[in-house]
Amino acid sequence: MKILTKQVLDSWNIQIKSAQKLTDQLDDNQLELEIAPNKNTGKYLPGHLIAVSNGMLPLLGLGEKHYPELEIPFVRTPDKNGQDGPDIPTLRQNWKGINQKLSDQFMLLNTSDWLARHTTDTEGAFLKEPHRNKINVVMSRTSHLAYHPGQLAMLRK
Amino acid sequence: MKILTKQVLDSWNIQIKSAQKLTDQLDDNQLELEIAPNKNTGKYLPGHLIAVSNGMLPLLGLGEKHYPELEIPFVRTPDKNGQDGPDIPTLRQNWKGINQKLSDQFMLLNTSDWLARHTTDTEGAFLKEPHRNKINVVMSRTSHLAYHPGQLAMLRK
C-alpha cells in the first residue's frame, strides 16, 4: 500500500509544481486578464485553487483552513461579482504558503492514516464505501489541480 | 493494494465521463472554434486526448494503438498546421471507441499486473524505481485528461 499512497502524493506534487511554475510565469498584468472573452480572470484561478486546497486541511483532519478569507471570494462567489479578495502579490504568497502547509502536514500521515475515512464521512458510510478515504481526497483534488491550470496556460504569450 | 488500484481506475473513469459529457455538449460548429483567440481549436483537444489514450495500449502491454492515424495530426503536429485528421463526427466515434477499448482492456489486469513495470521501462530501472508501474501511467494520464477539458469548457455558451 505504501508505494501506491506515495505515487498518489507524487502525482499531487507534480501538479502543484506545474501549477506553481505556470503562475510564476505570468506577470500581474496577465493575471488580471480574462482567460478567454467573458470567462474567469487569471487571478481567480489560483485564488480558487488556494481556497480549495485550504479546505483539504479540515477534510483530512489536519487542522483549520489556512486562509479562510479566500472562501467567500474564490469558492462561494463567481469571478467578477465584486468580491475581489486579496491583491495578486498576496495571492502569490498564499499559493506558496498553502502548498508548503499541505506538504508539511502530509508528511505527518502514514499509510494507514491515508486509508482511513475523511472527516465528512460517517463510520457507517465508510464501512460500505471504504474507498471514501483520505487518499481519495488527494486523488480528486489532483484532477481539479490539473483542470484549472489548463485554463491558466491560455494566458501565456 | 486492490482498493487503491480500484480508486485510481475510478478516478480515471470519472475524468473520462466528464470529458466525454463535455464533448457531447458541444456541437460540431462549436468544436471548430478556437478555445480562445489564436489558441487550439476545440476539435484538436478530443483528437489529442484520443491519440494519447491510444498510446496507453502499447505502454500497458495491452496491444497496438487503436487509431494510429491520429498520432500525426494530434500528437506530432500542433493544431492548424495542415494536418486536420478525421472529421468531427468520426472523432466523436473514435473518442467513444478508445474509451470502451481501454475500459475493456483494464478489466483484464489484476492488482499485481498494475504494479508491474510498463513496457518502456527496463527491468533494471524498475528495480530502482518501482513506482514506474502500470498504474502510474493511468495516474499521469488522468491529470492530462483533466487539463485539456478545462480548456474545452471555454467553448460552452
Side-chain angles (χ1 to χ4, degrees):
Chain A
M1 290 288 198
K2 196 175 174 183
I3 189 171
L4 279 176
T5 52
K6 182 183 178 304
Q7 284 183 230
V8 175
L9 296 174
D10 285 349
S11 179
W12 163 264
N13 286 327
I14 288 168
Q15 294 306 316
I16 284 284
K17 206 171 160 181
S18 165
Q20 183 82 64
K21 188 178 165 190
L22 176 59
T23 312
D24 288 346
Q25 284 169 343
L26 297 167
D27 64 29
D28 292 5
N29 291 333
Q30 286 173 302
L31 287 175
E32 295 283 6
L33 300 174
E34 290 175 336
I35 51 172
N38 304 316
K39 301 292 178 182
N40 286 332
T41 57
K43 175 188 169 179
Y44 191 81
L45 301 179
H48 177 66
L49 291 173
I50 303 163
V52 169
S53 285
N54 257 332
M56 292 170 75
L57 290 165
L59 195 53
L60 297 173
L62 296 171
E64 293 304 308
K65 286 178 184 165
H66 204 41
Y67 305 111
E69 70 277 13
L70 301 185
E71 186 74 14
I72 289 176
F74 295 115
V75 177
R76 299 202 197 168
T77 318
D79 196 13
K80 297 178 273 184
N81 271 267
Q83 294 284 349
D84 286 347
D87 59 20
I88 292 174
T90 306
L91 276 183
R92 290 187 192 276
Q93 287 177 342
N94 292 172
W95 191 208
K96 290 187 171 69
I98 188 68
N99 291 341
Q100 189 60 52
K101 175 82 178 173
L102 284 174
S103 175
D104 293 345
Q105 294 290 307
F106 284 2
M107 301 277 277
L108 305 177
L109 301 185
N110 62 29
T111 307
S112 63
D113 295 328
W114 283 116
L115 294 174
R117 71 185 165 93
H118 57 69
T119 60
T120 58
D121 209 6
T122 62
E123 267 189 58
F126 186 63
L127 277 174
K128 280 187 215 157
E129 300 186 282
H131 64 275
R132 294 167 63 93
N133 50 27
K134 288 179 176 165
I135 201 75
N136 210 47
V137 173
V138 180
M139 279 187 205
S140 69
R141 295 304 183 278
T142 300
S143 294
H144 183 249
L145 194 54
Y147 183 90
H148 291 297
Q151 300 173 329
L152 204 53
M154 287 158 59
L155 290 174
R156 277 192 300 211
K157 279 168 193 157
Chain B
M1 291 289 197
K2 195 174 175 184
I3 188 171
L4 279 176
T5 52
K6 181 183 178 304
Q7 283 182 232
V8 175
L9 296 174
D10 285 348
S11 180
W12 162 265
N13 286 326
I14 288 168
Q15 294 305 318
I16 284 286
K17 205 171 161 182
S18 165
Q20 184 82 66
K21 187 178 166 192
L22 176 58
T23 311
D24 288 347
Q25 283 169 344
L26 297 167
D27 64 31
D28 292 4
N29 291 333
Q30 286 173 303
L31 287 175
E32 294 283 6
L33 299 174
E34 291 175 335
I35 51 171
N38 305 315
K39 302 290 177 184
N40 286 332
T41 56
K43 173 189 171 180
Y44 190 81
L45 301 178
H48 177 66
L49 290 172
I50 302 163
V52 169
S53 285
N54 256 331
M56 292 171 75
L57 291 165
L59 194 54
L60 297 174
L62 295 171
E64 294 305 307
K65 287 178 184 165
H66 204 42
Y67 305 110
E69 69 279 12
L70 301 184
E71 186 74 13
I72 289 177
F74 295 115
V75 177
R76 300 201 194 168
T77 317
D79 196 13
K80 297 177 272 185
N81 271 267
Q83 294 283 349
D84 286 347
D87 60 19
I88 292 174
T90 306
L91 276 182
R92 291 186 191 277
Q93 286 178 343
N94 292 172
W95 190 210
K96 290 188 170 69
I98 187 67
N99 291 342
Q100 189 60 53
K101 175 82 179 173
L102 283 174
S103 174
D104 293 345
Q105 293 291 306
F106 284 0
M107 300 277 278
L108 304 177
L109 300 185
N110 62 28
T111 308
S112 64
D113 295 328
W114 283 116
L115 293 173
R117 71 185 165 93
H118 56 71
T119 60
T120 59
D121 210 6
T122 62
E123 266 189 58
F126 186 63
L127 278 174
K128 281 187 213 157
E129 300 186 281
H131 64 276
R132 294 167 63 93
N133 50 27
K134 287 179 176 164
I135 201 75
N136 211 46
V137 172
V138 181
M139 279 188 206
S140 68
R141 294 304 183 278
T142 301
S143 295
H144 182 250
L145 193 55
Y147 183 90
H148 291 297
Q151 301 173 329
L152 202 55
M154 295 292 102
L155 291 174
R156 276 192 300 214
K157 278 168 194 156

